Amino acid sequence: MNDTVDLNRMRDTAFTAQVEALSGQNISACYQCGNCTAGCPAGFAYDVQVSQIMRGVQLGLKDRVLRSRSLWMCLSCSTCSQRCPNNIDVAAVMETLRHMARKAGIVSVPKMEKFWLSFLNTVRLFGRSHEIGTMVLYMLRSLRLHTDVDLAPTALAKGKLGLLPHIPPGGAEPVERIFTRYKERAQREGVRP
Amino acid sequence: MKYAYYPGCSAKGSSKDYEMSTQAVCRQLDMVLEEIPGWNCCGSTPAHAVDTELSAALCARNLDIAARQGAQLLLTPCPSCLSNLRAAAQRMEKPTFRQRVNELLDEPAAETFPEVISVMQAIAREKENLVKRVRLSLKGVRLAAYYGCLMSRPAERMRFEDPENPLLMENLLAACGAEMVDFPLKTACCGAAFGIPERAMTARNSGRILELAVRLGVDAIVTACPLCQMNLDLRQTQAGRAFETRFHMPVIYYTQALGLALGFTQRELGLHKLAVSAEGLLNKLDGLRRAPAAEGGQS
Ligand code: SF4
Ligand code: SF4
């Protein structure tokens, strides 16, 4: 956010209120001390630092904020929340923004979403997550065929990767139904599931 | 004492060794861990990254099973499961949220849930018992306790010690004789589940932790989180490459360390499953075992 921003044209004050309501955080309390950014372990991979995101939300720069790659690179480690002198759960704000971006169909780092959805697919299918399944689905979705092949021999030799998924006794159907209802509701509400 | 137990998916896969050693230690302390029937994945990071209500629904199904069993407490070894289960329980206190989540479930979830705590907290309640049962003191072994970012944060949710300086693991291991170093990165993030989609993120963050442990001259890093363990152990070569070095730092579960003190064998604790072997540490312990007056031990 270092280039000039035309505040008159780009501000969306409803956005600020919406983020506050959804995250339950008082965004106006942020006085831009930069503590969150200083401790953020993912900052090196951010296009917009987390304190800048906070400022962007205050100013209602909806488009700039929701398009940021940072939302997808956040590790959800809550270091920022812990160190904010104004007690803002900054990690919760980051998560809220990511949800808003996704629901609006803005996915600035598609491979992250692909990875998460691959993981969740194994949960839907088996009721429990499955590491190899996640990896295979992710490779297929992202067409990255070499991901972690270097680790597979060690992991397999040590019996650390289960080849077969572990399905709960009683089956995976109850979990699948959760996903089905979730998807149907998202469709009814017109958001990306 | 009997406890309702939620092992989490990695207990059945990448952290079988954590599960083996947790069960072994608890058994020795007369803590019976009973898996709640038909539990499912808590959704881990991907679920909450995608949608809060979906994440809560996956968790609520488990909390509901435990509640219907009449459990007062639910124990889990995994900080990520702990975080998700506690977050869901907390959010479900809000009626509008509860209703949205109930819509996703087969039946509305129980009105009240058991409190979810870490197995480590339950073991700590048995500390006296633990100290009495130490058969091989860990005296002479130098360890760094690494909690990862999830166990203690956010503080209001986790209620687990000081959010940036927890000491529970140190207390338990010191009680078994180990020398615990002050480890400033004990609650830093290891790079989480980014190892697959964004390797640089994990390599950089894990590398920092490994580098510090090397500098402090510890025999091993001791952790409580399956994902941290995987990033620091299985991905150690990747982290080394990012730091233009070769690390050789064993990364074991705190339950494996406690298990050694309680006299279990390497196999019983799953120590043969480490990618980076803990041979140095084990040889050191072996030396101590052979020493005539095994300090702190009863046999
Ligand atoms: S939660 Fe996200 S934004 Fe906050 S410190 Fe961690 S990685 Fe950075
Ligand atoms: S730490 Fe809190 S007050 Fe400081 S910049 Fe970050 S959000 Fe704003």
Side-chain angles (χ1 to χ4, degrees):
Chain A
M1 279 199 194
N2 296 326
D3 40 343
T4 343
V5 167
D6 181 350
L7 288 179
N8 294 324
R9 206 163 44 82
M10 295 173 72
R11 287 179 78 160
D12 177 346
T13 43
F15 173 63
T16 315
Q18 207 185 352
V19 177
E20 290 200 325
L22 287 171
S23 67
Q25 302 303 309
N26 179 6
I27 308 282
S28 58
C30 169
Y31 52 35
Q32 287 292 295
C33 67
N35 243 2
C36 48
T37 294
C40 176
F44 75 95
Y46 281 8
D47 53 351
V48 181
Q49 292 301 317
V50 54
S51 53
Q52 295 176 310
I53 298 250
M54 292 297 291
R55 188 68 182 137
V57 177
Q58 283 181 333
L59 292 174
L61 304 178
K62 180 174 179 176
D63 206 53
R64 298 296 291 264
V65 168
L66 294 190
R67 287 190 189 285
S68 158
R69 292 172 52 86
S70 312
L71 305 181
W72 302 87
M73 302 305 277
C74 167
L75 289 156
S76 305
C77 71
S78 294
T79 309
C80 47
S81 311
Q82 179 55 38
R83 297 185 184 169
C84 174
N86 293 314
N87 253 325
I88 304 170
D89 188 345
V90 188
V93 175
M94 290 293 276
E95 183 140 295
T96 300
L97 292 169
R98 181 173 53 246
H99 293 162
M100 289 172 78
R102 259 197 96 246
K103 296 216 149 113
I106 308 169
V107 180
S108 294
V109 188
K111 66 177 175 183
M112 287 313 301
E113 193 196 39
K114 286 186 178 128
F115 175 68
W116 292 331
L117 296 179
S118 304
F119 177 96
L120 291 174
N121 249 320
T122 68
V123 179
R124 183 176 60 81
L125 290 172
F126 310 126
R128 292 180 187 165
S129 59
H130 182 233
E131 284 134 348
I132 291 186
T134 301
M135 209 102 97
V136 170
L137 287 175
Y138 175 70
M139 286 176 176
L140 291 173
R141 276 172 196 259
S142 62
L143 296 176
R144 284 162 186 266
L145 297 180
H146 299 297
T147 304
D148 275 346
V149 280
D150 53 332
L151 297 182
T154 323
L156 285 172
K158 302 284 178 182
K160 285 222 155 195
L161 283 180
L163 281 175
L164 298 175
H166 204 276
I167 299 175
E173 288 74 23
V175 179
E176 187 163 11
R177 287 197 290 273
I178 294 178
F179 278 94
T180 308
R181 290 188 200 105
Y182 167 72
K183 210 167 209 165
E184 286 169 358
R185 185 165 76 185
Q187 269 155 8
R188 272 202 308 279
E189 294 174 351
V191 294
R192 187 188 177 91
Chain B
M1 182 157 171
K2 256 190 208 168
Y3 292 95
Y5 181 58
Y6 178 83
C9 303
S10 45
K12 307 291 174 189
S14 62
S15 71
K16 282 184 192 130
D17 38 1
Y18 193 15
E19 176 66 7
M20 290 164 76
S21 54
T22 299
Q23 292 286 355
V25 168
C26 288
R27 218 180 312 122
Q28 195 73 352
L29 301 176
D30 302 316
M31 297 166 58
V32 181
L33 306 180
E34 281 191 339
E35 271 187 39
I36 56 169
W39 59 271
N40 57 270
C41 175
C42 72
S44 193
T45 305
H48 74 71
V50 163
D51 188 85
T52 313
E53 289 159 355
L54 174 65
S55 165
L58 291 170
C59 290
R61 184 173 173 273
N62 295 305
L63 292 167
D64 180 66
I65 294 173
R68 286 178 206 279
Q69 301 270 99
Q72 302 293 312
L73 269 184
L74 178 62
L75 265 49
T76 180
C78 172
S80 177
C81 301
L82 181 67
S83 174
N84 284 320
L85 293 168
R86 289 185 69 94
Q90 208 177 36
R91 293 199 170 106
M92 293 282 277
E93 281 167 18
K94 212 170 128 196
T96 45
F97 187 85
R98 171 175 284 270
Q99 206 212 316
R100 296 269 302 170
V101 172
N102 279 341
E103 279 173 25
L104 302 179
L105 301 172
D106 282 352
E107 285 167 49
E111 289 291 324
T112 52
F113 297 136
E115 198 192 353
V116 193
I117 62 168
S118 163
V119 172
M120 196 195 292
Q121 291 165 300
I123 291 178
R125 296 178 186 181
E126 300 289 331
K127 191 170 151 193
E128 272 180 43
N129 198 357
L130 171 75
V131 173
K132 268 191 263 164
R133 292 179 195 231
V134 171
R135 294 183 53 199
L136 172 69
S137 164
L138 301 180
K139 195 156 184 222
V141 172
R142 196 171 149 88
L143 302 171
Y146 171 65
Y147 296 79
C149 63
L150 288 172
M151 190 77 117
S152 60
R153 286 196 302 263
E156 319 73 60
R157 177 195 302 169
M158 302 309 282
R159 300 196 185 286
F160 184 95
E161 305 250 301
D162 183 307
E164 295 219 67
N165 189 21
L167 289 166
L168 197 59
M169 220 186 313
E170 282 93 331
N171 288 340
L172 290 174
L173 292 163
C176 297
E179 179 197 348
M180 304 304 298
V181 301
D182 194 1
F183 197 58
L185 292 180
K186 63 165 84 171
T187 65
C189 178
C190 67
F194 281 57
I196 295 171
E198 182 70 30
R199 188 181 284 189
M201 181 73 85
T202 304
R204 180 163 169 150
N205 282 291
S206 292
R208 224 159 58 102
I209 294 157
L210 291 162
E211 193 184 40
L212 181 64
V214 169
R215 260 194 291 162
L216 290 171
V218 297
D219 296 308
I221 296 176
V222 180
T223 179
C225 172
L227 190 55
C228 298
Q229 201 279 340
M230 183 174 1
N231 282 340
L232 295 172
D233 179 49
L234 189 60
R235 293 184 184 281
Q236 193 167 119
T237 9
Q238 295 177 350
R241 242 175 268 141
F243 278 65
E244 292 172 0
T245 182
R246 274 188 79 92
F247 293 118
H248 185 92
M249 178 53 65
V251 184
I252 65 176
Y253 290 105
Y254 78 99
T255 42
Q256 292 178 313
L258 294 180
L260 286 170
L262 292 172
F264 288 101
T265 65
Q266 299 180 31
R267 287 241 147 215
E268 287 171 315
L269 300 169
L271 282 160
H272 56 289
K273 288 180 179 287
L274 293 173
V276 178
S277 121
E279 222 181 297
L281 168 77
L282 294 166
N283 287 342
K284 203 169 182 180
L285 271 174
D286 238 19
L288 296 169
R289 200 192 301 255
R290 286 206 194 96
E295 285 151 287
Q298 293 163 345
S299 56

